[in-house]
Amino acid sequence: MTTRTSPVVVIPRPEAVAEGRRRTWSRRTSFRLAIATQVLVLAASNFPTPLFPIYAQRYHFGPATVTLLFSVYVAALIPAMLTLGRITDRVGRRPALVAGMAITAVSSIVFAAARNVGWLFAGEIIYGIAAG
């Protein structure tokens, strides 16, 4: 009977870090981290959705504006996926995911600081770009 073992995460010795060598993760760990990060970014892009009725009352807009908010997200997401997806090939998966997470954080801040419906549209556009 053969036992399969997962590769272990390699933590370099301090002298290896001083020499400029990087810590490496197994392919399985890297893949799982990439998937988890993408799931979190996509989930975060839907966090404001339950707040739309509250925003509608606060900023006095109707169902048509809520529909436009959803549409703007998709309108930003599709071009971002088509154009920004190539960045991963150039800079690597980790930097692209970190950038996506940072942009998602910016969008969350925009939603938290929203002063009018324009901020909500800006937040949705930024979320669309981050998810792309």
Side-chain angles (χ1 to χ4, degrees):
M1 175 158 83
T2 308
T3 305
R4 290 182 67 184
T5 59
S6 297
V8 178
V9 174
V10 177
I11 300 175
R13 298 181 316 273
E15 60 271 9
V17 173
E19 294 171 7
R21 290 185 281 177
R22 292 177 26 165
R23 175 179 65 193
T24 58
W25 293 337
S26 70
R27 290 178 62 87
R28 177 177 282 171
T29 301
S30 294
F31 179 74
R32 287 180 179 166
L33 182 62
I35 294 297
T37 303
Q38 187 63 27
V39 167
L40 287 174
V41 168
L42 291 174
S45 69
N46 292 311
F47 287 155
T49 302
L51 299 175
F52 284 164
I54 296 169
Y55 286 135
Q57 284 181 334
R58 181 179 294 167
Y59 302 128
H60 310 290
F61 61 83
T65 304
V66 173
T67 302
L68 282 174
L69 284 167
F70 284 112
S71 300
V72 165
Y73 167 77
V74 174
L77 174 67
I78 292 172
M81 290 178 101
L82 294 173
T83 58
L84 299 177
R86 295 181 189 142
I87 289 177
T88 304
D89 296 335
R90 291 186 187 166
V91 300
R93 187 172 33 214
R94 287 182 196 158
L97 288 173
V98 169
M101 290 172 53
I103 296 169
T104 299
V106 169
S107 182
S108 297
I109 291 168
V110 169
F111 270 102
R115 300 289 179 243
N116 58 43
V117 72
W119 286 59
L120 301 179
F121 279 106
E124 284 292 307
I125 291 168
I126 296 169
Y127 266 140
I129 293 169

